[in-house]
Amino acid sequence: MSGIIQLLPDHVANQIAAGEVVQRPASVVKELMENAVDAKATEITLNIKDAGKTLIQVIDNGVGMNAFDARLCFARHATSKIRQAEDLFDLHTKGFRGEALASIAAIAHVELKTRQAQDELGQCIVIEGSKFISEEMAVVPKGTSFAIKNLFFNIPARRNFLKSDVVELRHIIDEFQRVAMAHPAIHFQLYHNNSEVFNLPSQNLRQRISGIFGGKTNEKLVPISEETDIVTIQGFVTKPEFAKKTRGEQFFFVNNRFIKSGYLHHAIMSAYEGLLKDGCQPGYFIYLSVPPQSIDINIHPTKTEIKFDDEHALYAYLRSSVKHSLGQFNVAPVLDFERDANLDTPYDYQYKQAVLPTVEVDGAFNPFGDTKPSKTYTGQKKADAAWESLYVGLKQDTDAVFADTLVADPSANEWQQMSGMKFESEAVTSSLFESQDESASVSKTYQLHKKYIVSFIKSGMVIIDQQRAHQRVLYEGFLTSMTVHQAASQQLLFPLELYFSSVELALLEELRPSLVSAGFVFGEAFEDRIVVSGVPVNVTGSEVSIVIEELLADLQQGIPGNSFSQSDSIAKSMARSLAVKTGTYLTETEQENLLDGLFACKEPDVSPFGKPTFLTMRVEDLDKKFSV
């Protein structure tokens, strides 16, 4: 008798598993590169076409597979990493569940070429949607080559959810960097559309980090080294002055496996307490080595979250080691209560040589004579003369002032005679509740708690949020300039060189036309930096790096496809960065200009982010409040 519950076919089960393992091309890159590392490869090459949508190929010189293993590796839960359940708690490899290749083969065209060192011929297997198309012996180099073509060819709905090529490539580079930083001894190469993106030879950890994020990264790093009974901590943190608005350069590795941990991130932030500006994030590259039995890495499908046995001790060790390194390399401020600040050499005299004093002797001086010496300390005489010149005519001026006072106020004469003192009198010309003169100038706006601007209208008053109002004014100004391509630029006297990672430079290159429309002028392009020679009129030279960093942070999750959406996103980001912040004092003129600019906008009611910019309060509403 047939029941309701049935076993799913293998190809359906593989597609369901693929939904967990393969979310985008970067997921395939991660699984294949980790398999290459587990295969003891010393050289790994990643070839990408169309951000992985057309081709993902990983070539390694590892141990390879024989004919039996080459076919069995595409079966579900087939793995060489574990043999029994206890092995799950003593893992020393990247993968272990045996689902990756089966899931990938279910949703793509796969071509596998592999050969072991002792074999003369290798294997070539072609699979399309979990179906074996061909399997034959072939002449192939030692190692393994996986070519994944036409990802999601049989699941068009999943393919439609992929982002633009720039965004998908950024995710691939992220995965590539994580594996490359975890294994600096391996030679990694990355090619996109036959163009070299990374070529990282075997090197030490510091060189590998600098090779990925640019040569300037080396001077930002502060080394960390700590060894305890439960954890060994190695790596680097960045100096506080190089903190950014973004959280891009933050990496945790546990037993050479990249993880994400908000708890450990808080430990780093607490070590930087008092050293960072508001809203800034430090960079760090932390490598933790713990006994495999003390962690559980199988709590998340992507294996980026780990459960530790003793998180509190790990938190304390990590915080103290980072704090110790910052202090050891003179990064953290030091309080020295024994130092006398009065003994410090003034800055202006720091590099000046000491001047030897000179002595002048008057040979004709007779101490028993009646005449004064012809020569004396000339410096002191000149100094006395200079001071005395300040008081020339002071007595006459003072007498004239008191004479005028007596004429203007006769009562002062009486006080002068009674008390024997001379002073100026000041008449009281105002009171607490003085009558308002209609012709007198009255302030039209008032600033409340350096956050709100209050202005009067016929029906009552209007209260404006100064930060949101300024965001609206800047947003519409930037958007208008970018859409009509008439943005004004101001040339910088000294062009700025801004250093970014390769991923950030790729984003900036994609956004270059929109940024030029906004008023930025770029000079010669380099591999690790950009040159800014002109900025919009509302941006100062000191704000350029902040604006671009926050722009990159806002666009980390994706760049809009069409030009108008790009312009809109850039205008919003720049408005957020440059708008006047809460707590900033505004003069009366600045307040009035902000109000005039707000109500000249097309949509003054809301900020670019949909928040209200002002509210009105009528006199009737106030009357109701007082009538209670």
Side-chain angles (χ1 to χ4, degrees), residues 548-574:
I548 295 182
E549 285 180 8
E550 294 189 358
L551 176 62
L552 292 173
D554 292 338
L555 298 176
Q556 281 294 320
Q557 299 304 318
I559 299 177
N562 57 68
S563 59
F564 177 78
S565 298
Q566 285 188 13
S567 300
D568 183 74
S569 300
I570 293 174
K572 286 182 178 178
S573 178
M574 293 177 63

Side-chain angles (χ1 to χ4, degrees), residues 342-358:
N342 296 324
L343 300 179
D344 291 346
T345 303
Y347 180 79
D348 293 338
Y349 295 89
Q350 186 173 3
Y351 300 105
K352 289 185 177 181
Q353 298 294 330
V355 179
L356 296 177
T358 60

Side-chain angles (χ1 to χ4, degrees), residues 95-360:
F96 54 88
R97 291 187 302 216
E99 291 181 332
L101 295 180
S103 301
I104 294 171
I107 56 174
H109 298 163
V110 180
E111 182 183 51
L112 167 63
K113 295 179 181 179
T114 182
R115 181 177 71 86
Q116 293 182 327
Q118 65 272 16
D119 298 333
E120 294 184 359
L121 296 177
Q123 300 294 317
C124 180
I125 298 177
V126 178
I127 303 176
E128 295 181 1
S130 296
K131 295 180 181 180
F132 283 81
I133 305 301
S134 66
E135 181 179 2
E136 57 188 8
M137 301 181 69
V139 178
V140 294
K142 171 185 172 294
T144 304
S145 170
F146 275 99
I148 313 301
K149 304 176 182 178
N150 303 322
L151 192 64
F152 299 125
F153 79 100
N154 54 354
I155 312 179
R158 291 290 301 275
R159 190 177 181 90
N160 292 335
F161 275 101
L162 295 179
K163 305 294 184 181
S164 65
D165 287 356
V166 175
V167 177
E168 295 299 337
L169 177 61
R170 183 181 63 81
H171 286 287
I172 290 174
I173 292 178
D174 285 344
E175 296 295 345
F176 176 86
Q177 290 176 345
R178 292 167 183 174
V179 178
M181 280 192 291
H183 302 277
I186 300 177
H187 181 192
F188 287 94
Q189 292 177 292
L190 171 60
Y191 294 89
H192 180 240
N193 293 337
N194 298 324
S195 297
E196 183 180 271
V197 181
F198 286 104
N199 187 357
L200 306 172
S202 177
Q203 50 199 175
N204 60 41
L205 182 57
R206 191 175 193 126
Q207 293 172 335
R208 176 58 54 88
I209 295 174
S210 300
I212 292 176
F213 295 100
K216 283 287 183 177
T217 306
N218 183 45
E219 65 185 44
K220 306 177 185 178
L221 301 179
V222 176
I224 293 177
S225 180
E226 192 72 32
E227 186 173 354
T228 65
D229 295 337
I230 65 173
V231 63
T232 299
I233 303 174
Q234 300 288 337
F236 302 91
V237 295
T238 58
K239 299 176 182 178
E241 59 265 28
F242 295 104
K244 296 183 177 180
K245 296 288 185 180
T246 61
R247 297 183 58 177
E249 299 177 2
Q250 296 180 347
F251 297 89
F252 281 115
F253 297 91
V254 176
N255 296 348
N256 291 331
R257 183 191 301 273
F258 172 78
I259 69 163
K260 298 178 182 178
S261 175
Y263 188 68
L264 297 182
H265 172 75
H266 188 272
I268 301 291
M269 295 300 294
S270 62
Y272 275 89
E273 185 177 2
L275 300 176
L276 300 175
K277 298 178 181 178
D278 292 338
C280 291
Q281 296 280 339
Y284 52 78
F285 310 88
I286 306 297
Y287 295 77
L288 307 176
S289 298
V290 298
Q293 300 83 2
S294 64
I295 58 174
D296 183 5
I297 61 178
N298 199 24
I299 62 174
H300 193 273
T302 61
K303 295 172 287 189
T304 56
E305 297 181 8
I306 289 183
K307 180 66 177 176
F308 297 94
D309 283 350
D310 194 352
E311 287 187 337
H312 297 287
L314 188 60
Y315 181 100
Y317 284 134
L318 182 59
R319 180 180 180 274
S320 61
S321 62
V322 173
K323 207 172 186 66
H324 176 260
S325 294
L326 293 176
Q328 182 180 7
F329 290 90
N330 297 325
V331 174
V334 179
L335 293 178
D336 186 1
F337 295 101
E338 301 297 330
R339 181 179 62 84
D340 187 358
N342 296 324
L343 300 179
D344 291 346
T345 303
Y347 180 79
D348 293 338
Y349 295 89
Q350 186 173 3
Y351 300 105
K352 289 185 177 181
Q353 298 294 330
V355 179
L356 296 177
T358 60
V359 178
E360 296 183 3

